Amino acid sequence: MMYKGYRFYFVGGSPFCKIGGEMKTSKELTKWYQSKEFQKEYIYDGNDLGSTIIDDKTMFKLWSPVATKVELNLYESGNEDARKLGSFLLEKGEKGVFSYLHKENLKNTYYTYTVTTSEGEKEVGDIYAKACGVNGQKSMVVDLADTNPSNWEEDQFSYDANKQPIIYELHIKDFSYDLASGISEEKRGKFVAFTEDTGKNTGVEYLKNLGVTHVHILPMYDFGSIDEAGSEEQFNWGYDPMNYNVPEGSYSTNPFDGTVRIRECKEMVQALHRAGIGVIMDVVYNHTYHTDTHFQHTVPYYYYRTKADGSFSDGSACGNETASDHEMFRNYMIQSVMYWAKEYHLDGFRFDLMGLHDTETMNQIRAELNTLENGNEILVYGEPWYADEPAMQKGCIPSITKNVAHLEKGIAIFSDATRDSIKGSVFYEEEVGYVNGDPTLAEEVKKAVLAQGRPGQIISYVSAHDNFTLYDKLVMSLNKEWDFTTKDEAMIQINKLCAGIIFTSGGAAFFQAGEEFARTKLGEGDSYKSSPLLNMLDWKRSETYTDLVEYYKNLIDFKKQSETLMDKNCDRIEKIEFIEQVDKNIVSFVIKDDIHKFVVYNPYSEEVQVQVPEGKWNLISDGNLFMEQGREIVIEKTYLANSSSAIILEKI
Ligand code: CA
């Protein structure tokens, strides 16, 4: 997520509260939370907070060093007006943990806690809940074994940890909202859309044909901006977390039954794994929907950072920022990531506004994942920036670009330098990059080719959900009159050059779903809550722009075959040698794979004669098409490069 137009302001939660009967400001509370006494007496490192079924009994545990009383409320359903079945007092134990053992197996029973703190009595959901009712207000006791789809124990995915992934970024609803997706009505816009074989080149079959190794799914944990009981026309990206350990209800076929969303989310993962595709989840631990949350009401001012004046710090520009540098939230993040990795078999995590998390937390997450079997294959990467300076404790290092050396090697960052040097700033539509008007950025593009000198830790990309789609950006930066719907061959050619650069460069290749069929949002740069019709993948376009799709497919294949470009473990790319051309704006280089490749980028709208290194070369791609196998075009000494093209030759 990027810090732009949208903000949520905190409601409730005055900066004053009482503890032990005396008035304490949020400032005093924060100070107490950071005191030695608190660290010693109240940090709980158990992994059993929440509700757990133990031998046909149910244990409830809640952590709140500041609560004076905690009651458990059981409900008949998860709905707002559900009938209460009874209330039970939890007992306060050591480390600020309240607990209650119910003598029955309460699986599928909905519950809340009434927590009394200096802020008064608040009825809240369980922040450790693994299941919940509609709109995430009430938690649910769940027996996870009941939620497994058939053959779940056989579900598996493996990806060589030494190789770069090729990541496709998509949103659950975008993927199948379009009728032309061929997905059946009841599955459209849902997790289970991924389980359907449409009999044509759409859905998971399409992803498989495209050749991506992983999909990166925009938030699919429970978020707050969609009324799960409301209409299907609602849309949101989902960067407004409610329940971190529960899938989003609006993506399920029944948000009222807490088990359905869990099972269907697993079915999606299973279907992608069957297609040989890994699943990465976009995680937004850096802020919550607002501060009138289960977190704030359970332990006031603990889970959020506050400023010197006691008000909430707002490094996310969404009204708050969470506190990864506070031990219990750090533990929470680690446990949450581990839970998704183990229970949902996820293959990667993309951290939104990772700059709001300290490097220590990120490194601990990496280390914990590595303890799992093949855990080193699980991808960890994030946005190395924040909207505003976070209020981290002294000595903590924010996970931003300039601190990348403090992050473990198995943690990668998005390269905004690569993104913007190729096609111009994401913020200003008229600003251009190397491919669309400023060929003098050649030196910056060379850095992009070398993955900014840090191949194992760089995500190379030109477009993501934030800001203009690549195609829209190209149209807006190059044309005075914006026409996003008429097929424009010149624009497609420049789109090809952008992709050509990404897939002949080091780093992990990443692209926004539909970039390969000139996805348009008609110039909308911030569609986080625009209509699903604007946001959806327009599957007809995948046919109209089939030559562009084919080109991406071939590029993906090309990258996968290059041992140099796929090498994630190297500290720098030694096997790329730049070749100087007469015109310094032409970038050209040899990739010293077992079979050498020669790559040329021509950023001009005219053809350019380029020098080819010694020997005979075979044309692989003229920047427009990939040659059919066996169709040899032998090149020596010079080559006339097409306009706006990434040329690829292979040594004979
Ligand atoms: Ca929700």
Side-chain angles (χ1 to χ4, degrees), residues 134-136 221-228 240 242-243 247-250 261:
V134 66
N135 287 326
Y221 53 77
D222 177 43
F223 53 82
S225 54
I226 300 280
D227 178 3
E228 296 176 0
D240 44 82
M242 293 269 297
N243 288 284
E248 162 60 15
S250 66
R261 59 178 78 190

